[in-house]
Amino acid sequence: MAMGHAVVARCMCAASALLCTFGLLGCGKEPTPAPTPAPTPAPMPTLKLTNGVEMPIMSAGVWQYTPEEAEKSVEAALRAGFTHIDTAYDYKNQEGVAKAITSAMKAGKKRESIFITTKVPGCGMQNSSAVSSDACKSDTATRIADDLRQLGVEYIDLLLIHFPPCPGEDGSPQSPMKSKCFADRSGCSQQKSCDMVKAQWAAVSEAYTNKKLKAVGVSNYCSACLACLEGQKPFPMVNQVHFQLGMGPDPQGFRTLAEKKGVVLQAWSPLGSGGNGSDPIMHGNLTTQLGKKYGKSPVQIALKWIVTKNVSVSTKSSNPDHLAQNLDIFDFELGADDMKKLDDATFAAKDEPSFLCRDKAHEPATTEAII
């Protein structure tokens, strides 16, 4: 009988050890709880363009990056959850963007899940001639082909004309600031400028008709430039301009004009200072106080102010944490009183939406960026 008790005891100990192994019995300590899954980020809103294309409201830009830096930045952006990448012919880094997108597709992402925006130069600058309308149209078609080749894609989701033309220039100025049109920012006020706008748009429209472009638009276009395209089909669907907190809610009427024309406004350098961030945004009392109120950073407050106005925004960072923080603005809403406070901020009132044209008398721009 004693032997029987010993056998039972040994069996019970063995069973207890087995249960401990599988964490089914306390055995002197609590089982390790399963890790709490990371919260799913709020989905990124889209803006519907006039042709029905849904454009993610926020993009990750690669201005001023080398091809290698652009590749790493886009890889980090896609990992963070970005679905919209912004580049341009004159950034000279599209091969790096292409490598990152190709890698993502090899890892399982579908091409249609990545919205690609790129740009062609305004005629007269950056290897696009404006000595004649024919030269402008031909060079624009070539630059579109260059974009497709450099990005390694069969189609581009959104192609923009980067800035207004500069008639008479042969394409040799490698920056709009080095063109003869920069000093007075006359934009499209002359008939020759309008002729170039129409010629360039004809090349863009042909590529759109041939399904090489899903959507088309412009950048840094003021009302005179858009007026040159009145009645055109398609009409520009997007106008990417400088728009940031501190410029007011409707600088030079650009936002009102876009809404009137059914054009989506898109913000470059949304944090100011050519994409490097302005001190009043990054460290100012207004954004800092509101950040504390909403549990967000000053940058997130500034970006939220923009997208709340249904303005698309092109951000830029190579820092994975900053990329994730930029995306983390869709889980809260700014109150009406706080939006009014942000609307009334004027620390960037001298900055202009376009660097080659202006819609009314305005002091010279303080921002020196061309992105």
Side-chain angles (χ1 to χ4, degrees):
M1 193 69 177
M3 183 179 294
H5 283 302
V7 170
V8 171
R10 285 197 298 271
C11 289
M12 290 179 65
C13 287
S16 296
L18 185 62
L19 289 171
C20 287
T21 300
F22 289 100
L24 300 177
L25 193 67
C27 303
K29 65 178 182 179
E30 292 297 321
T32 302
T36 303
T40 302
M44 184 185 297
T46 61
L47 296 173
K48 183 177 285 190
L49 307 183
T50 52
N51 67 345
V53 167
E54 297 279 352
M55 179 180 72
I57 197 169
M58 182 181 290
S59 66
V62 294
W63 176 60
Q64 287 187 322
Y65 288 152
T66 66
E68 294 75 21
E69 290 169 338
E71 179 182 0
K72 292 178 181 178
S73 176
V74 172
E75 286 176 346
L78 294 174
R79 283 196 300 268
F82 276 88
T83 57
H84 185 176
I85 304 300
D86 181 283
T87 183
Y89 168 80
D90 62 281
Y91 293 176
K92 297 180 173 61
N93 59 19
Q94 293 194 126
E95 290 86 352
V97 173
K99 287 181 180 179
I101 291 174
T102 299
S103 295
M105 291 172 61
K106 287 181 178 178
K109 281 190 180 290
K110 295 182 178 180
R111 167 64 184 90
E112 56 267 28
S113 72
I114 305 173
F115 192 101
I116 302 173
T117 292
T118 189
K119 312 172 192 77
V120 292
C123 287
M125 294 153 283
Q126 298 170 342
N127 308 322
S128 293
S129 176
V131 296
S132 70
S133 294
D134 288 343
C136 175
K137 181 180 178 182
S138 176
D139 282 355
T140 300
T142 302
R143 298 291 82 78
I144 294 172
D146 288 341
D147 281 343
L148 287 162
R149 174 180 52 80
Q150 291 172 8
L151 289 167
V153 295
E154 295 183 356
Y155 68 90
I156 292 164
D157 295 276
L158 173 63
L159 182 116
L160 307 177
I161 297 176
H162 209 160
F163 35 79
C166 188
E169 294 277 21
D170 62 1
S172 58
Q174 290 304 298
S175 167
M177 287 186 172
K178 296 180 179 179
S179 73
K180 64 182 182 182
C181 297
F182 177 70
D184 62 2
R185 293 176 175 81
S186 57
C188 303
S189 59
Q190 300 177 8
Q191 183 58 47
K192 288 183 179 180
S193 298
C194 232
D195 292 341
M196 295 297 166
V197 168
K198 292 176 181 177
Q200 189 152 36
W201 193 249
V204 171
S205 297
E206 285 180 11
Y208 175 75
T209 299
N210 292 331
K211 302 189 183 306
K212 296 297 182 182
L213 314 173
K214 296 285 188 180
V216 290
V218 294
S219 180
N220 300 293
Y221 266 40
C222 57
S223 61
C225 298
L226 289 174
C228 296
L229 297 174
E230 198 65 46
Q232 294 285 327
K233 293 183 180 180
F235 189 76
M237 302 166 192
V238 173
N239 188 13
Q240 188 182 100
V241 301
H242 181 202
F243 183 59
Q244 66 165 85
L245 179 64
M247 292 176 69
D250 192 17
Q252 295 186 23
F254 270 60
R255 193 164 67 87
T256 297
L257 174 67
E259 291 175 354
K260 180 180 179 181
K261 298 290 185 181
V263 175
V264 169
L265 202 67
Q266 193 173 59
W268 58 255
S269 281
L271 302 179
S273 297
N276 298 315
S278 70
D279 190 69
I281 287 178
M282 311 290 279
H283 309 291
N285 289 334
L286 177 59
T287 53
T288 299
Q289 290 172 2
L290 290 179
K292 291 177 180 178
K293 176 179 178 179
Y294 290 96
K296 297 292 181 178
S297 72
V299 166
Q300 290 170 318
I301 295 297
L303 293 176
K304 184 66 175 184
W305 176 78
I306 294 175
V307 300
T308 299
K309 296 184 178 300
N310 285 326
V311 174
S312 175
V313 59
S314 182
T315 65
K316 176 192 169 187
S317 179
S318 58
N319 183 308
D321 291 337
H322 292 170
L323 287 164
Q325 290 165 13
N326 289 345
L327 287 173
D328 188 24
I329 65 170
F330 301 111
D331 60 349
F332 78 106
E333 300 297 331
L334 291 166
D337 290 345
D338 294 328
M339 282 294 292
K340 178 65 166 55
K341 293 176 184 177
L342 294 165
D343 285 351
D344 291 343
T346 59
F347 55 81
K350 292 184 179 181
D351 284 2
E352 298 191 70
S354 172
F355 47 76
L356 280 182
C357 65
R358 55 170 64 100
D359 270 345
K360 57 186 177 182
H362 204 267
E363 295 184 38
T366 57
T367 299
E368 296 182 355
I370 303 295
I371 72 171

